[in-house]
């Protein structure tokens, strides 16, 4: 009998040959659905175990937070892991370590492990005015004499001052900035009524005759031009006189070999910031902006501290909306607790993932703030899909059969979207990713998504079983007490009748005590079967239970009839509010012929603005753009950009191999390379030294080196160049060679300082490939600039290609090819829109925005994938009809997910942090673009683009379709299989 064949009861099957590829997909599809059906029955048979095991596991792993550690090396997180700049930096440190410099240090070129730095500005006047100059020198003396006690208490405590921690010069005196020496000379001249020495900018000459670059120590400079004309900052020539300056930058270098001295240096940095804060209160006319070696790390992690309360607020807002989305007018079929349990499942999975990270010794950083939202979007999608599928099941079935039907209907799609999440995050977490922050985030997010998927299969499904038993027993969805029957409610007050409203099924004489059901149910009004017959439903008899799951098939009814629309729903008041709106209003409106042109026009506008933003994408390689607002790092960076943007940081030009410096052509090449820069060059000073003494600059090697060592470097004004030259012994009695040397270059810049530095880096590197002299250039900022665009964009590119490959591979065996094509195009469109609109919103392409773009792939697949599968599975009728069915079945869960997800993002937007601002904007755009595609663009485009719904031949003739309906009928004593041929 056909009626006993599994898979044919309760639905129409077309009796026509199918291609082999389609048959293979159907076999695999049926096998997977059968497996999930069996898994659903197993979970429903052991709900207590699957509900308690995740809770106990989360509690056990959550107790490992005593091992919680925060990442301290921010550079390793935010800079490309493998870059030429890091190799060059290691070579520079081996040739010219900081401790080797015995005369002068450049704060933006040579930054040791520990330091204290401050920018001092005047609110009115110049820092060179007597009052301000005296206050600044007073501050310098207080910092110099400041002491810290380590350990704070005990007999072994010692007091450490700056002189105990500083870097020493060749005279065992602390190295201080040259601008301090210049200001002390000015103060001494004023106190003794002598003429004030002329201070030149950006290169000045000190009292000992040495030339010093002070462009990174003095900012907001106005100089005297020819004829006494005043020039603005950066407009003068080399060595012009300084009329006024608005800012000074002082740096105090510390040496901390490790262990105790590192702890002492850390305490000194804290005391340094406290001293500056106290001094600022005493001198309100001065603005002080401190920065230390730990400021970036502290301010970067401070975003996590600021986000604690907003995250709790997000959870609370999301919980309220989830409860509303799971509620209905019918108090029995309403499931508000199930929404809260979905959030609890996501929270438990996050706690479990955090416990695993703690036990494995992983560290935390502020980029992990995006992981809860990745879990939230994916978890809510699965929970709302399962709840929607539950409401489409037959109410006369046993709870186990209903849960098995839900698994069969939902878990294949949910597992597919989980695979997309894991594919995108897993490939971005691979060694192919050159950005450590991106790799760690994606690795942790992949772990969290995996655990969330397992908990959705176990914990949330068992909760669905418990609420199903409450529904079967006609208990209130919120208070869990049994709801009286209508005849007993008539005597109650109106508010009580409203609170206890439900729809009892018609009582029958058929009971089934073993299954716990003493009455039969009519079809759930949310069940979108459209071919109905006036026959009673089958009870949960074991003999027919094998066919019960067909009622909840993911394949829509293949031949919907016009009479089964929502307008003829026998109980429209029981439908969910959003489902009723979509079924009665939105579905008809979005597929209206007069609305489609406007939706297509809206999509063209969407693409246009996305392209506009895509063409303006800029990279955000500045680490200060990822820290909390109003912190020391941000304030210091703003002051530096305002007052010290006329010149680039000091760039080290390092000649790391022996070169014939005595050769005239080599000298010309080196001078040509440095042309156009402000420079501190030993070679240029030496050649001028020889010219002033009427000596030839092109000498034999022995004479060139002998004069350099025994005459030039012994002059007091040139002695500091000894730090810039490394000599290599040749043999006894021979003059050593110049094995390596360095020159300091400073470029003139504008407001786009980082972009110009990136261009300069690329230009000089290309020059080094063709030069006869082997050289390299380095500045600590190059670590962030070098290959940053490639390091940031490659994870996104790899993840996108991985998703497209996965969709193409799955289309061969599991998914309809056109579904894969549509889903791939949708993901590309969403990514393109998010990338373009975030640029128009002022978000740069940094590691945080790339993390959001990677997670957007999975989020858009969650929202649009079920809609496409539901539409493609339909056969017969019109496209418009199946678009409406797909919107009812899968558009409503997506809409519920987007509403709760968007509301949870709102508190994040209030955090005063650059990192969370980027997170909020990118995730908001992701939700908005996904909503547009799921609820507007796809429903409209699918009504006139493939896949086609008309596969039958014309009416009449030999090609007329034949369909078989297998209907199971129950007459309280036996089951009759009735076969009707149409």
């Amino acid at each position: 009998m056909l009626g006993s064949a599994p898979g044919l009861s309760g639905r129409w099957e077309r009796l026509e040959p199918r291609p082999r590829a389609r048959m293979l997909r159907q076999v695999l599809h049926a096998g997977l659905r059968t497996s999930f059906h069996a898994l659903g029955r197993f979970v429903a048979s052991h709900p207590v175990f699957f509900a308690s095991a995740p809770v106990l596991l989360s509690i056990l792993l959550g107790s490992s937070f005593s091992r919680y550690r925060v990442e301290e090396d921010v550079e390793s997180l935010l800079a490309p892991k493998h870059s030429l700049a890091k190799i060059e930096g290691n070579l520079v440190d081996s040739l010219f370590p900081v401790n080797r410099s015995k005369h002068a240090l450049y704060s933006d070129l040579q930054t040791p492990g520990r330091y204290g730095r401050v920018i001092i500005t005047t609110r009115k006047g110049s820092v060179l005015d007597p009052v301000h100059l005296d206050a600044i020198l007073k501050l310098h003396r207080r910092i110099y004499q400041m002491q810290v006690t380590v350990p704070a208490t005990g007999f072994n405590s010692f007091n450490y001052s700056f002189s105990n921690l500083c870097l020493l010069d060749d005279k065992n005196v602390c190295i201080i900035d040259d601008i301090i020496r210049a200001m002390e000379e000015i103060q001494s001249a004023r106190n003794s009524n002598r003429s004030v020495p002329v201070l030149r900018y950006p290169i000045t000459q000190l009292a000992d005759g040495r030339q010093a670059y002070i462009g990174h120590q003095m900012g907001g400079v106005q100089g005297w031009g020819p004829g006494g004309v005043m020039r603005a900052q950066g407009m003068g020539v080399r060595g012009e006189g300084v009329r006024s300056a608005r800012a000074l930058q002082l740096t105090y270098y510390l040496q901390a070999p490790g262990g105790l001295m590192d702890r002492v240096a850390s305490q000194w940095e804290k005391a340094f910031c406290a001293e500056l804060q106290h001094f600022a209160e005493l001198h309100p006319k001065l603005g002080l902006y401190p920065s230390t070696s730990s400021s970036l790390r502290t301010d970067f992690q401070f975003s996590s501290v600021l986000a604690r309360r907003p995250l709790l607020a997000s959870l609370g807002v999301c919980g309220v909306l989830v409860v509303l989305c799971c509620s209905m007018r019918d108090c029995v079929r309403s499931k508000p607790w199930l929404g809260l349990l979905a959030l609890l499942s996501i929270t438990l999975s996050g706690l479990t993932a955090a416990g695993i990270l703690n036990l494995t010794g992983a560290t935390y950083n502020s980029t992990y703030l995006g992981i809860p939202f990745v879990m939230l979007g994916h978890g809510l999608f699965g929970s709302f899909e399962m709840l929607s599928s539950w409401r489409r099941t037959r109410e006369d079935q046993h709870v186990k059969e209903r849960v098995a039907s839900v698994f069969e209907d939902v878990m294949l799609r949910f597992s597919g979207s989980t695979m997309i999440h894991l594919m995108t995050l897993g490939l971005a977490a691979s060694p192919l990713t050159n950005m450590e922050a991106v790799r760690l985030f994606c690795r942790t997010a992949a772990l969290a998504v995996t655990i969330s998927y397992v908990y959705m299969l176990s914990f949330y499904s068992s909760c669905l079983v418990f609420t199903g038993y409450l529904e079967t027993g006609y208990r209130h969805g919120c208070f869990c007490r049994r709801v009286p029957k209508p005849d007993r409610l008539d005597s109650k007050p109106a508010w009580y009748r409203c609170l206890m409203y439900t729809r009892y099924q018609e009582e029958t004489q058929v009971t089934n005590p073993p299954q716990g059901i003493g009455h039969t149910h009519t079809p759930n009004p949310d069940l979108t079967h459209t071919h109905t017959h006036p026959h009673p439903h089958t009870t949960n008899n074991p003999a027919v239970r094998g066919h019960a799951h067909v009622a909840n098939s993911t394949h829509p009814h293949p031949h919907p009839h016009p009479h089964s629309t929502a307008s003829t729903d026998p109980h429209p008041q029981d439908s969910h509010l959003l489902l009723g709106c979509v079924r009665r209003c939105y579905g008809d409106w979005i597929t209206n012929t007069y609305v489609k042109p406007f939706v297509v026009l809206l999509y063209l506008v969407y693409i246009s603005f996305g392209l506009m933003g895509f063409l303006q994408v800029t990279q955000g390689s500045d680490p200060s753009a990822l820290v909390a607002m109003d912190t020391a790092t941000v304030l210091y960076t703003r002051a530096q950009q305002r007052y010290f943007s006329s010149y680039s940081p000091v760039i080290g030009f390092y000649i790391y191999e022996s070169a014939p410096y005595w050769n005239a052509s080599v000298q010309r090449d080196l001078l040509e390379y440095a042309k156009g820069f402000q420079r501190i060059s030993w070679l240029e000073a030496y050649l001028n030294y020889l010219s002033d003494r009427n000596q030839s600059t092109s000498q034999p090697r022995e004479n060139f080196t002998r004069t350099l060592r025994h005459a030039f470097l012994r002059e007091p004004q040139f002695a500091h160049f000894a730090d810039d030259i490394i000599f290599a012994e040749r043999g006894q009695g021979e003059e050593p060679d110049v094995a390596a040397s360095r020159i300091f270059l400073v470029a003139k810049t504008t407001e786009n300082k980082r972009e110009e530095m990136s261009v300069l880096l690329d230009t000089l590197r290309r020059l080094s490939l063709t030069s006869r002299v082997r050289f390299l250039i380095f500045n600590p900022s190059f670590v962030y600039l070098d290959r940053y665009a490639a390091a940031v964009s490659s994870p996104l590119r790899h993840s996108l290609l991985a998703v497209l490959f996965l969709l193409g591979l799955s289309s061969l065996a599991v998914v309809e090819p056109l579904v894969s094509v549509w889903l791939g195009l949708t993901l590309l469109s969403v990514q393109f829109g998010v990338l373009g609109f975030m640029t128009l919103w002022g978000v740069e392409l940094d590691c945080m925005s790339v993390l959001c773009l990677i997670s957007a792939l999975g989020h858009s697949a969650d929202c649009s994938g079920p809609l496409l599968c539901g539409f493609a599975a339909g056969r017969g009728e019109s496209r418009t009809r199946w678009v409406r069915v797909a919107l009812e079945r899968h558009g409503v869960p997506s809409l519920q997910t987007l509403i709760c997800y968007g509301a949870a993002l709102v508190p994040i937007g209030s955090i005063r942090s650059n990192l969370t601002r980027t997170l909020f904007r990118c995730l908001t755009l992701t939700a908005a673009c996904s909503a547009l595609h799921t609820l507007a663009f796809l429903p409209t485009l699918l009504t006139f683009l493939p896949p086609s719904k008309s596969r039958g031949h014309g009416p009449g003739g030999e090609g007329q379709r034949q369909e078989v309906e297998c209907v199971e009928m129950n007459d309280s004593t036996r089951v009759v299989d009735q076969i009707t041929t149409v």
Side-chain angles (χ1 to χ4, degrees):
M1 296 284 295
L2 280 174
S4 60
L8 292 179
S9 62
R11 63 180 177 185
W12 297 89
E13 293 291 340
R14 299 174 55 186
L15 302 180
E16 60 180 15
R18 296 187 175 96
R20 293 183 179 180
R22 187 178 177 190
M23 291 178 64
L24 176 62
R25 282 194 297 272
Q26 287 185 342
V27 170
L28 292 176
H29 201 270
L32 291 173
R33 287 166 57 82
T34 303
S35 301
F36 281 118
H37 184 272
L39 177 62
R41 286 186 58 84
F42 181 75
V43 172
S45 300
H46 308 83
V48 176
F49 170 77
F50 285 103
S52 58
V55 176
L56 295 177
L57 183 61
S58 300
I59 294 175
L60 291 176
L61 293 177
S63 61
S64 64
F65 268 90
S66 58
R67 302 187 180 186
Y68 175 86
R69 294 189 302 116
V70 177
E71 179 62 48
E72 296 185 356
D73 189 0
V74 179
E75 180 182 313
S76 65
L77 287 177
L78 305 180
K81 187 176 182 180
H82 305 288
S83 66
L84 184 58
K86 286 192 174 183
I87 299 175
E88 293 171 343
N90 294 331
L91 178 59
V92 168
D93 290 338
S94 64
L95 293 176
F96 299 95
V98 174
N99 294 335
R100 189 178 186 276
S101 298
K102 298 300 183 180
H103 295 84
L105 291 172
Y106 298 100
S107 59
D108 46 8
L109 174 64
Q110 298 156 310
T111 301
R114 295 285 185 176
Y115 63 89
R117 187 174 296 162
V118 58
I119 293 179
I120 307 171
T121 63
T122 59
R123 309 192 188 281
K124 186 178 181 181
S126 170
V127 293
L128 298 179
D129 293 342
V131 176
H132 296 151
L133 187 142
D134 293 343
I136 293 172
L137 292 178
K138 180 181 177 182
L139 172 64
H140 168 68
R141 288 190 293 269
R142 292 180 62 171
I143 293 175
Y144 204 95
Q145 298 170 0
M146 180 180 65
Q147 293 183 345
V148 294
T149 303
V150 178
T153 58
F155 296 103
N156 295 326
S157 300
F158 292 94
N159 295 328
Y160 296 87
S161 64
F162 177 69
S163 58
N164 302 121
L165 302 171
C166 67
L167 293 174
L168 302 176
D169 60 11
D170 53 353
K171 299 179 181 179
N172 289 330
V173 178
C174 291
I175 297 177
I176 59 175
D177 288 336
D178 294 324
I179 191 63
I180 293 293
R181 302 185 189 277
M183 294 176 69
E184 288 176 344
E185 294 172 4
I186 294 175
Q187 186 187 48
S188 177
R190 286 174 178 169
N191 293 337
S192 59
N193 293 325
R194 292 185 286 107
S195 59
V196 177
V198 177
L199 186 64
R200 301 188 179 277
Y201 183 83
I203 297 178
T204 191
Q205 189 170 4
L206 301 179
D208 58 1
R210 180 168 59 90
Q211 287 189 340
Y213 174 74
I214 59 172
H216 64 297
Q217 298 172 0
M218 183 176 290
V221 175
Q222 290 183 338
W224 296 108
V229 179
M230 185 177 64
R231 292 179 180 270
Q233 177 182 356
M235 296 300 293
V237 295
R238 177 184 175 112
E240 89 177 358
V242 176
R243 177 181 180 270
S244 66
R246 296 291 307 278
L248 286 179
Q249 180 174 239
L250 306 179
T251 304
Y252 298 88
Y253 303 93
L254 308 176
Q255 54 178 345
L260 175 63
M261 297 306 296
D262 187 72
R263 295 202 310 271
V264 173
S266 176
Q267 293 295 325
W268 190 93
E269 288 181 355
K270 296 178 181 178
F272 174 78
C273 294
E275 179 65 29
L276 291 177
Q277 184 179 3
H278 177 66
F279 190 84
E281 295 174 355
L282 299 177
H283 298 79
K285 294 182 179 180
L286 295 179
L288 303 180
Y289 304 96
S291 177
T292 64
S293 62
S294 58
S295 294
L296 180 61
R297 181 186 72 249
T298 303
D299 297 341
F300 177 72
Q301 302 295 354
F302 190 57
S303 297
S304 301
V305 179
L306 294 177
R308 290 175 182 173
R309 291 185 179 179
L311 282 178
L312 294 177
S314 297
L315 190 63
V317 172
C318 186
V320 172
L321 288 178
V322 165
V323 169
L324 294 177
C325 289
C326 294
S327 301
M328 299 172 59
R329 183 185 176 188
D330 192 317
C331 65
V332 171
R333 294 165 182 85
S334 178
K335 292 183 170 44
W337 288 112
L338 202 58
L340 292 178
L341 290 172
L343 282 182
L344 180 59
S345 175
I346 297 171
T347 305
L348 291 176
S349 59
L351 187 61
T352 303
I356 294 175
L357 291 179
N358 291 329
L359 293 177
T360 55
T363 57
Y364 290 81
N365 62 80
S366 291
T367 60
Y368 287 3
L369 290 174
I371 295 179
F373 295 96
V374 176
M375 300 171 59
L376 183 66
H378 186 57
L380 288 179
F381 157 74
S383 61
F384 284 127
E385 276 283 331
M386 292 178 70
L387 183 56
S388 176
S389 179
W390 171 271
R391 288 170 175 165
R392 293 197 302 269
T393 56
R394 288 168 48 181
E395 295 183 353
D396 59 343
Q397 292 179 309
H398 191 266
V399 172
K400 295 181 181 179
E401 288 298 331
R402 296 183 73 179
V403 172
S405 299
V406 169
F407 268 65
E408 181 184 5
D409 180 28
V410 174
M411 283 306 162
L412 186 58
R413 294 190 302 271
F414 187 55
S415 301
S417 65
T418 304
M419 283 298 300
I420 292 179
H421 275 279
L422 296 181
M423 179 66 75
T424 57
L425 296 171
L427 193 59
S430 68
L432 297 175
T433 299
N434 196 22
M435 188 70 67
E436 189 70 8
V438 176
R439 193 180 68 82
L440 293 177
F441 175 92
C442 293
R443 184 187 68 181
T444 308
L447 174 65
V449 169
T450 303
I451 297 175
S452 177
Y453 174 76
V454 174
Y455 280 18
M456 195 62 63
L457 290 179
S458 55
F459 179 79
Y460 182 78
S461 300
S462 61
C463 294
L464 184 63
V465 174
F466 293 136
T467 56
Y469 282 118
L470 292 177
E471 179 180 334
T472 302
Y474 279 89
R475 295 187 176 273
H476 198 282
C478 184
F479 304 112
C480 302
R481 62 171 298 177
R482 186 172 179 83
V483 178
K485 292 187 177 181
D487 54 352
R488 297 181 57 186
L489 280 176
D490 294 339
S491 59
K492 301 292 183 180
W495 65 268
Y496 189 84
R497 292 198 303 270
C498 181
L499 186 64
M500 293 293 180
Y501 169 80
T502 188
R503 174 172 52 84
Y504 267 85
Q505 300 294 340
E506 296 179 1
E507 295 291 330
T508 63
Q509 298 182 7
V510 180
T511 60
N512 193 0
Q515 301 297 333
I517 301 177
H519 50 269
T520 59
H521 300 263
T522 57
N524 191 309
D526 290 340
L527 185 62
T528 55
H529 281 273
T530 55
H531 195 84
T532 59
H533 293 275
H535 62 274
H537 285 273
T538 307
T539 58
N540 278 318
N541 192 308
V544 297
R545 193 181 304 155
H547 309 293
H549 68 276
V550 179
N552 194 31
S553 173
T554 54
H555 297 286
H557 204 292
H559 195 82
H561 285 204
H563 71 268
S564 60
T565 59
S567 60
T568 59
D569 192 346
H571 299 282
Q573 68 274 13
D574 290 339
S575 298
H576 191 275
L577 177 62
L578 291 179
L579 178 60
C581 293
V582 170
R583 177 182 295 175
R584 297 172 179 81
C585 304
Y586 185 76
D588 295 335
W589 179 79
I590 197 64
T591 56
N592 189 285
T593 305
Y594 300 102
V595 176
K596 293 178 185 178
F598 293 99
V599 177
V600 174
L601 180 62
L602 177 62
Y603 184 70
L604 296 178
V605 173
Y606 167 86
I607 291 296
S608 301
F609 278 91
L611 180 62
M612 184 189 307
F614 180 79
L615 297 176
Q616 303 176 25
V617 172
T618 57
Q619 65 179 29
S621 57
D622 189 0
S624 62
L626 295 174
V627 301
M629 298 179 184
D630 304 326
T631 54
T633 301
V634 172
L635 297 177
Y636 174 84
T637 303
R638 289 176 182 173
Q640 193 174 50
Q641 291 174 350
R642 180 178 179 183
Y643 297 108
F644 298 92
S645 60
S646 294
Y647 291 97
S648 72
V650 178
I651 302 171
F653 185 96
Y654 298 91
I655 304 170
Y656 57 87
E657 290 184 359
S658 180
Y661 296 95
W662 57 90
N663 190 296
S665 61
V666 172
Q667 294 173 3
R668 285 194 301 269
D669 289 345
L670 293 177
L671 293 177
E672 184 66 25
Y673 297 157
K675 187 178 180 181
F677 292 92
Q678 297 287 345
R679 53 200 175 273
I680 300 294
S681 171
W682 71 267
L683 180 61
E684 184 177 357
Y686 181 49
L687 296 180
N688 292 334
Y689 173 84
L690 294 175
S691 299
D692 293 341
R693 284 158 178 74
N694 295 324
Q695 297 182 22
S696 173
T697 57
S698 179
Q699 300 178 3
R701 186 193 67 82
E702 294 282 345
N703 296 340
F704 186 89
T705 307
R706 184 182 300 108
T707 306
L708 174 63
R709 294 180 61 207
H710 300 291
F712 177 74
L713 293 179
R714 292 188 179 183
E715 295 285 341
Q717 65 270 29
F718 303 125
H720 63 282
F721 286 126
D723 297 340
D724 304 333
I725 304 173
I726 298 177
F727 293 99
E729 298 292 338
R730 291 176 57 90
Q732 187 175 5
E734 295 187 21
E735 284 293 331
D737 279 340
V738 179
S741 67
R742 63 182 177 182
I743 298 172
F744 301 110
L745 306 177
V746 182
K748 191 75 169 61
T749 58
T750 60
E751 294 182 358
N752 298 323
K753 193 173 181 178
R754 300 191 71 85
E755 289 77 5
E756 293 178 355
M757 289 291 290
S758 180
V759 173
L760 179 62
L761 173 63
D762 294 337
T763 303
L764 291 177
R765 275 189 178 165
R766 288 195 299 267
L767 181 62
S768 67
L769 298 177
T770 58
S771 173
R772 291 183 297 173
V773 179
R774 295 298 179 184
F775 71 88
L776 59 87
I777 60 172
F778 178 74
N779 182 275
S781 63
F782 291 171
V783 174
Y784 296 97
L785 294 174
D786 191 19
R787 298 183 58 81
Y788 187 85
V792 167
S793 60
S794 61
L796 176 61
R797 185 168 58 251
H798 293 159
S799 298
L800 189 58
L801 292 176
V803 171
L804 297 179
F805 174 77
L806 177 64
L807 294 176
L809 185 64
S810 62
S811 65
L812 300 177
V814 181
V815 186
E816 290 284 346
L818 284 175
V819 174
S820 298
V821 171
W822 270 108
L823 186 56
L825 292 176
T826 302
L827 297 182
L828 288 174
S829 180
V830 171
Q831 285 290 93
F832 183 77
V834 173
L835 182 60
F837 283 102
M838 81 174 192
T839 304
L840 296 179
W841 203 352
V843 178
E844 295 180 330
L845 190 63
D846 53 23
C847 68
M848 198 65 216
S849 58
V850 167
L851 294 176
C852 296
L853 288 172
I854 293 174
S855 62
L857 289 170
H859 189 272
S860 54
D862 286 342
C863 295
S864 57
L867 182 75
L868 291 169
C869 292
F871 175 80
R875 296 291 181 266
E877 289 298 323
S878 65
R879 302 169 183 272
T880 301
R881 169 60 187 158
W882 285 112
V883 166
R884 293 172 182 171
V885 172
L887 280 175
E888 293 174 13
R889 292 187 173 184
H890 308 294
V892 173
S894 297
L895 179 59
Q896 293 171 326
T897 301
L898 290 169
I899 290 174
C900 300
Y901 184 79
L905 290 175
V906 173
I908 302 299
S910 63
I911 303 176
R912 297 283 297 171
S913 171
N914 294 317
L915 185 144
T916 54
R917 181 185 62 181
T918 300
L919 179 69
F920 168 74
R921 292 182 177 182
C922 292
L923 294 183
T924 300
L925 289 174
T926 299
C929 292
S930 300
L932 279 174
H933 283 77
T934 304
L935 302 176
F937 297 153
L938 286 178
T940 299
L941 297 177
L942 289 175
T943 57
F944 57 85
L945 292 177
S948 175
K949 294 299 168 191
S950 56
R951 292 190 180 181
H953 302 280
E958 298 178 355
Q960 186 174 4
R961 292 180 299 180
Q962 289 187 343
E963 298 174 335
V964 174
E965 179 187 19
C966 178
V967 181
E968 297 176 354
M969 302 186 65
N970 185 16
D971 62 353
S972 78
T973 57
R974 59 189 177 90
V975 176
V976 180
D977 290 334
Q978 176 181 350
I979 303 175
T980 304
T981 302
V982 180

